[in-house]
Structures are given as C-alpha cells and as structure tokens.
Amino acid sequence: ELPKKFTPALKKRVSKDYQTFFPEFGSIKPLNFEKRIGCFLFSIYMDIGSDREYYTPFYSVHNLSRAVEGISATLRQRLQTSRNTPDFLQLRWHDKNYRNAGTRMREQAYLPLEGPISLHQVIELYKNYLKTPYPSRSSFCVEDPAMICAWAGRDDLAKECLEWGYETFKTWSEGMQKQEGGLDVWYDRMQKIIADPDALRRITKEQVALKKLDKIPYQDFPDAVYKEAK
C-alpha cells in the first residue's frame, strides 16, 4: 500500500511502473508518455485529481505543424472501466491495480501502441472521434488531418481531408464558425496552409525543439511521400 497523496518521488515511481506497458513511447516528464509520428504526437498521460489521491489515464494527440503554446489534448479519451465508465485509480492501491489498468490501457488505445501508424489510420481516428456521443469539438479536429497529410507530402489526401473538414465544420454551430472568421474565411485560410508544406515542416521542427521532444521516439508515416531526415 502506497501513501495516499502524490509526491514528486511517487510520480516517478508510478511512471516507471507504466513505462513497461508502452515500450515504444518516451517520456518528457513523469506520468506522460509520448510517441512522434511525423508531425503527429500520440500521448498517454495520467491526470492527477485535485486532492492528489487518484489519477485518471487519458489518450490524446497533438499536431506539431501548428504553432501553439503547450501541447493540446486533442481527441482526448479517458480510460474506461469494464462497465464503460470513466476510471479513477487511487494512488493508495496502485501496486494492486496498475497491471490491470496498464493492460486495459493497451486494449483501449485508439491507435497501435507498437509498430507503424499510417496517415489513413490518423484520418480515420479523427473522423471516428467526431462520431462519438460527446466529442470535445474544436477547429483542430477538422484542421489537423489536412495539415498532417500536407506535412507528409500527400497533397491528394490533404485536399480530401480539407473537403471533409469543410463539410463537417459546416454542420457545427454558427458561433464556432464565427470564432474562425466564418466558414469561407476558414476554408480559404486552410487552403493556403496546406499549399505550403515547407512551412508546416519548419514549424514542426521549431515546435519539437521548443517542447523538447527531440529525444522522444520517432517514426515516419509508412504512406507518406515526405520522410523526415534522421
């Protein structure tokens, strides 16, 4: 039985236990695990409760070809219990429960934790996420697939994704569209962004350096035209 509340030492201890379940992921800080595929960051992290007595595992993704502060938790999905309810794991019983939780985290991951991840898998992930009952919608959800495909040199897929993004965004509230200047303004801006893959690649390199992700395990998309020189 562990102490009830998290300390820096206990964060490291819990991270070490879970690392064995994610051998192809690195970690830039305790309780966070990351893997980079091109400009796409796939993350698994433990969100600590306000009382520091429990934690909840999440999956999320981030588009590194976008210049933003921090790492966005786009497509955030929480680990579920066997009853399909959000899981809250008490630190106190970590030693007893983490193996079961780690196994479920592997089973419920919405992308492969090992081996290659393709552009097509990423595109389908975004599309499927927005079909879930209560997705956390943001413009990132309809922009990322086109930007990621453009970064990868797949102009054909980037254009297809932008058309999907447009048709999807069109069904969202007028208020959300106004935040982006309106649907047509958004579409014109996105056309310019995906037409300049060199800019997306430059931003990605800058973001990797700023966020200290250069030591995180890296792989290219197998179906990309552009492969990042290593």
Side-chain angles (χ1 to χ4, degrees), residues 106-156:
R106 289 183 62 82
E107 292 170 349
Q108 294 180 27
Y110 50 34
L111 284 172
L113 298 179
E114 286 150 38
I117 292 174
S118 69
L119 288 166
H120 285 85
Q121 286 174 303
V122 170
I123 293 167
E124 286 305 305
L125 171 63
Y126 279 82
K127 290 181 178 180
N128 290 335
Y129 177 81
L130 289 177
K131 293 175 186 174
T132 57
Y134 303 104
S136 179
R137 288 179 175 177
S138 77
S139 60
F140 291 6
C141 297
V142 290
E143 294 171 355
D144 285 355
M147 293 172 69
I148 292 165
C149 290
W151 177 96
R154 290 295 302 269
D155 184 55
D156 55 331

Side-chain angles (χ1 to χ4, degrees), residues 56-148:
T56 304
F58 281 90
Y59 311 93
S60 69
V61 301
H62 177 77
N63 171 18
L64 288 163
S65 70
R66 184 192 305 280
V68 292
E69 288 187 23
I71 293 176
S72 64
T74 309
L75 312 190
R76 197 164 85 134
Q77 180 172 299
R78 190 191 300 257
L79 180 70
Q80 301 290 301
T81 68
S82 57
R83 296 179 179 179
N84 286 324
T85 57
D87 206 348
F88 298 92
L89 297 159
Q90 281 196 304
L91 174 64
R92 189 175 176 183
W93 307 116
H94 168 77
D95 287 345
K96 178 182 175 183
N97 296 328
Y98 85 87
R99 292 176 185 83
N100 175 272
T103 299
R104 283 186 290 114
M105 288 163 73
R106 289 183 62 82
E107 292 170 349
Q108 294 180 27
Y110 50 34
L111 284 172
L113 298 179
E114 286 150 38
I117 292 174
S118 69
L119 288 166
H120 285 85
Q121 286 174 303
V122 170
I123 293 167
E124 286 305 305
L125 171 63
Y126 279 82
K127 290 181 178 180
N128 290 335
Y129 177 81
L130 289 177
K131 293 175 186 174
T132 57
Y134 303 104
S136 179
R137 288 179 175 177
S138 77
S139 60
F140 291 6
C141 297
V142 290
E143 294 171 355
D144 285 355
M147 293 172 69
I148 292 165

Side-chain angles (χ1 to χ4, degrees), residues 14-16 18-19 22 25-29 31-35 42-46 105:
V14 171
S15 291
K16 186 178 179 182
Y18 279 114
Q19 182 71 67
F22 317 119
F25 284 64
S27 182
I28 53 174
K29 64 178 181 178
L31 304 178
N32 288 257
F33 307 94
E34 295 87 13
K35 177 179 183 178
F42 180 20
S43 300
I44 300 167
Y45 65 96
M46 317 296 173
M105 288 163 73

Side-chain angles (χ1 to χ4, degrees), residues 170-189:
K170 192 164 67 173
T171 67
W172 293 6
S173 71
E174 190 176 329
M176 290 193 76
Q177 293 171 17
K178 280 183 177 178
Q179 288 177 10
E180 302 301 321
L183 191 61
D184 292 336
V185 169
W186 173 85
Y187 184 74
D188 289 344
R189 177 172 62 82

